[in-house]
Amino acid sequence: MKIPPVKGTRDFYPPDMALRNWLIDGWKRVSVRNGFEEYDGPIFEYLKMFQLKSGDEIVEQLFSFEDRGGRKLALRPEITPTLARMVNQQINSLPRPIKWFSVPRLCRAERPQRGRLREFFQWNIDIIGVDDVLADAEVIFCALDYLQEVGLTPDDIVVKISSREMLAAILLSIGIAEDELEPLYALLDKRSRLGEDTFEEMLTKQVSDENRRKKILELMNAESVEQIGDFVELSETAKESVDELQRLFELLDVVGVADFCVFDIGVVRGLAYYTGIVFEIYDKASQFRAIGGGGRFDDLLKQFGGPDMPATGFGIGDSVLEILLREKGLLDMVVPQKQLDYFVAFTDKQFFQKAIEIMAKLRRSGAAANFAYKSTTLSKQLKQASAQNAQKSIIIGRELSDNNELVIKDMATGEQELIELNKFFAELESESK
RNA sequence: GUGAAAGUAGCUCAGCUGGUUAGAGCACUGGAUUGUGGUUCCAGGGGUCGGGGGUUCAAAUCCCCUCUUUCACCCCA
C-alpha cells in the first residue's frame, strides 16, 4: 500500500533540507546579532490557550485532539501564546528587557495554496517589557536586517506600518461606537483588495451616518503620518498615537531602513490581541501574500494571568519568503548540498584496508570523509568524489607502500601533491586546533 | 469552508477527435576507461497514465465519484 503525504505538508529531501537550514540559520544568526536569545515550547498546548485571545480566525484553523486522559489539546498555530505563558511563569526572575526569538514549526488547518501550507516554520522575535516605540523600531529593523542580508532591497519589499491605537482613537473621536470598531477594522483591512466602489458600498452598510463615513473615506487618503491631521481633527489620545507613529518613522530613518517603510492606514491585522503599532511586510509588486507581520500586544501577558507588561514582536514564515527569494533569483547560488573535505580512493584492492583506516582517522580529526564501498577502478572512485562535492581526494597506492606518502588531489584545480602520511595528519591536527 | 482549473517515469512535459507492447529531455544505474573525476558516447532500470467505478469489442483519451495540487474567495506566514 502506498501512502501519500498529508495535504498541505512538505517532504524535505536533502536539497530542500539544505535550503531550509540555510533559511533558518540566517534567522538565528540575525536574531543573535540583534541581541535576542532563543527559546522554544512544546508543539502542542491546551486548546483553550489558543481559544483565549488569538481571535476566531486562528481558532477555526486549529488542529485539535484529545489525549488519552481526555485533555483537549491543539497543535500550535502560533507561538505567541506560548511565549506569554512562558514569560509569565518566570516573570520575576527574568532580566528586562526580555528579547527572545524562536523558529517554531506551526500547524494550521487552512486550505493549502501557494505560500500557505498546513505546516510551516516561522521566525518570531519579541521584546517584552519596553513600551517605548524604540522596541517596535528595533523589531522592524531586525526583520529588515535579515531580509537585506539575503539580498532583498526596497525595490523588492515594503513594510506597511500603521497603529491600531491611533485608528481606534480617530474612529472614536469622529463618533464611531466602541463595539463598531472590530467589524470596521476588518473592512478597512480589506480596502485595498475591494476596489473603491465596493468599499464605499460596504462602508455604507456599517456606518449609517454620512458625515462619519465621509471622514473615514478622507482619512483613507492619508499617505503619510503627517497628513492625518489634515483630514480629521485629532483628539488628545489620537494625537499621542500619531506622534508615536511619527517617532517610529524617525527612528527607522536613523537606523537606515526608512526606504523600506511606508505608512499604510489599511494595515490592521487579523489577530485580536494587537494593541498599538502594527505592520506587515509584502513584496513590492503585491504579487504574493504577506511575507510577515507583527506589532504591539501590550495586553496579552496580563490576559494570560501575568503582570501588565508591554510587548511587541513579529513573525515571518518560511514559505512565502522562499517563493519570493526564488523568484528574485536569490536562491540560485545558495546552498551547496554535500560538503565533503576528503574522498579516500585506492588504486588496488590491497590498499582497501589502509584506505578505510585513513578515512576513519580523518573523521576522528574532524574532517568530513567518505570512500567507495565497492572496490572499483580509480576512475569510478574519482567520479564518486566529484558527485559528492569532495574538495580533495586522497589516493592510496604504491606511493604509500613505497614511500609512506599520500597523493592529495585538489578536485577543483586537478592539481596533485605528495605528502608524507604522518606529516599530513600532524598538519591536519594543528589546523583543527 | 465556497467556487474554478489541472493531475502521464524522480523532475519538466509530449501523446488525448477512443484503436497494436505509453514517449522525449534531464536525473539514476552499468559500460567504453586495468592509476586519475566533473565532458562525450553506448546500454539499462523505472509508469496498473493520481485512485475507484462506469460506457465500449477496445479507455491515458469519454462520463461519474474521490484524493491531491494550483487559482479566486476567506485570511494571513
Side-chain angles (χ1 to χ4, degrees):
Chain A
M1 188 170 45
K2 216 173 181 178
I3 314 243
V6 176
K7 184 195 189 88
T9 63
R10 287 171 291 180
D11 291 330
F12 292 90
Y13 288 89
D16 311 311
M17 197 63 207
L19 175 60
R20 174 176 132 193
N21 282 333
W22 172 80
L23 213 67
I24 288 176
D25 288 349
W27 287 347
K28 292 187 176 183
R29 189 175 55 247
V30 171
S31 298
V32 169
R33 79 172 176 224
N34 278 267
F36 291 80
E37 286 182 292
E38 187 167 9
Y39 73 97
D40 199 358
I43 203 158
F44 49 81
E45 294 270 6
Y46 282 107
L47 174 62
K48 63 181 175 214
M49 190 170 89
F50 301 113
Q51 292 171 325
L52 207 56
K53 285 299 159 199
S54 299
D56 297 341
E57 193 56 39
I58 282 270
V59 171
E60 278 168 25
Q61 296 169 356
L62 281 174
F63 280 107
S64 57
F65 59 99
E66 237 176 66
D67 73 3
R68 292 207 279 180
R71 276 172 280 262
K72 291 186 167 62
L73 307 174
L75 295 177
R76 62 185 178 194
E78 54 167 344
I79 203 174
T80 310
T82 301
L83 170 72
R85 182 175 65 69
M86 287 171 64
V87 168
N88 277 342
Q89 260 165 206
Q90 299 198 348
I91 190 69
N92 292 326
S93 64
L94 294 171
R96 320 284 164 70
I98 299 161
K99 289 178 67 177
W100 283 4
F101 81 94
S102 192
V103 183
R105 185 171 202 145
L106 306 176
C107 297
R108 294 182 192 174
E110 287 185 280
R111 181 119 175 202
Q113 247 179 73
R114 192 162 188 234
R116 184 222 276 172
L117 302 159
R118 290 187 159 194
E119 185 196 43
F120 57 97
F121 292 87
Q122 196 183 59
W123 174 34
N124 278 256
I125 73 157
D126 294 283
I127 300 176
I128 295 169
V130 182
D131 58 8
D132 196 292
V133 73
L134 196 50
D136 303 275
E138 189 176 18
V139 152
I140 293 170
F141 173 82
C142 184
L144 287 168
D145 188 19
Y146 173 79
L147 294 169
Q148 283 177 281
E149 184 177 276
V150 294
L152 294 166
T153 69
D155 291 332
D156 305 314
I157 53 167
V158 59
V159 183
K160 299 178 179 176
I161 303 167
S162 185
S163 164
R164 250 197 200 194
E165 195 178 34
M166 179 196 75
L167 190 61
I170 292 174
L171 293 174
L172 290 172
S173 75
I174 63 172
I176 302 291
E178 187 94 35
D179 59 353
E180 288 178 293
L181 287 178
E182 281 291 333
L184 203 48
Y185 285 163
L187 180 62
L188 296 179
D189 190 43
K190 263 187 272 193
R191 191 182 68 105
S192 58
R193 279 166 272 147
L194 287 175
E196 219 162 299
D197 293 346
T198 327
F199 175 72
E200 285 196 40
E201 202 177 296
M202 291 179 75
L203 186 64
T204 310
K205 279 186 200 152
Q206 280 189 28
V207 182
S208 48
D209 184 280
E210 199 189 328
N211 209 16
R212 291 173 190 165
R213 216 156 57 219
K214 219 174 127 192
K215 279 185 180 162
I216 292 175
L217 284 171
E218 280 175 2
L219 182 67
M220 290 296 114
N221 291 325
E223 282 170 2
S224 69
V225 189
E226 290 75 18
Q227 285 180 12
I228 288 180
D230 303 345
F231 293 105
V232 286
E233 205 174 310
L234 298 173
S235 66
E236 208 43 46
T237 41
K239 203 163 177 309
E240 277 173 29
S241 311
V242 170
D243 287 347
E244 189 185 60
L245 258 182
Q246 219 152 2
R247 177 132 181 278
L248 175 64
F249 278 98
E250 282 165 21
L251 287 166
L252 291 169
D253 188 37
V254 171
V255 295
V257 295
D259 291 352
F260 287 93
C261 303
V262 298
F263 170 70
D264 187 329
I265 199 159
V267 173
V268 184
R269 302 204 42 80
L271 290 172
Y273 52 63
Y274 286 110
T275 54
I277 301 280
V278 283
F279 64 92
E280 285 176 352
I281 308 168
Y282 286 90
D283 65 292
K284 197 100 190 202
S286 279
Q287 194 182 348
F288 309 115
R289 44 189 72 245
I291 301 159
R296 229 171 224 287
F297 47 100
D298 287 344
D299 299 337
L300 193 66
L301 267 72
K302 197 176 179 186
Q303 284 167 343
F304 273 78
D308 194 354
M309 190 165 299
T312 185
F314 76 77
I316 288 182
D318 67 324
S319 62
V320 181
L321 181 62
E322 185 188 323
I323 290 166
L324 178 68
L325 291 176
R326 195 175 299 284
E327 204 211 50
K328 297 285 175 190
L330 295 170
L331 296 181
D332 295 349
M333 43 206 292
V334 166
V335 199
Q337 270 191 58
K338 199 167 184 177
Q339 272 299 358
L340 209 53
D341 298 315
Y342 294 100
F343 191 95
V344 184
F346 48 93
T347 59
D348 188 276
K349 260 198 293 228
Q350 60 172 303
F351 298 114
F352 178 73
Q353 192 138 324
K354 200 72 199 168
I356 58 170
E357 186 190 321
I358 286 168
M359 177 274 297
K361 211 169 168 186
L362 279 165
R363 288 179 178 175
R364 274 200 304 272
S365 57
N370 249 347
F371 68 106
Y373 290 107
K374 275 192 297 184
S375 171
T376 56
T377 62
L378 181 61
S379 169
K380 286 274 159 54
Q381 294 179 64
L382 289 172
K383 204 168 196 151
Q384 278 192 48
S386 285
Q388 296 184 23
N389 278 323
Q391 308 213 305
K392 289 179 179 174
S393 289
I394 296 181
I395 300 166
I396 316 286
R398 62 176 113 76
E399 294 83 352
L400 188 72
S401 51
D402 295 351
N403 305 316
N404 207 34
E405 282 176 336
L406 298 172
V407 180
I408 311 288
K409 182 182 177 74
D410 186 301
M411 297 304 281
T413 63
E415 281 166 25
Q416 297 190 180
E417 57 170 344
L418 284 168
I419 183 162
E420 201 274 328
L421 180 67
N422 296 321
K423 194 179 164 210
F424 172 78
F425 277 105
E427 280 176 13
L428 197 67
E429 287 289 315
S430 67
E431 268 173 40
S432 65
K433 272 167 197 166

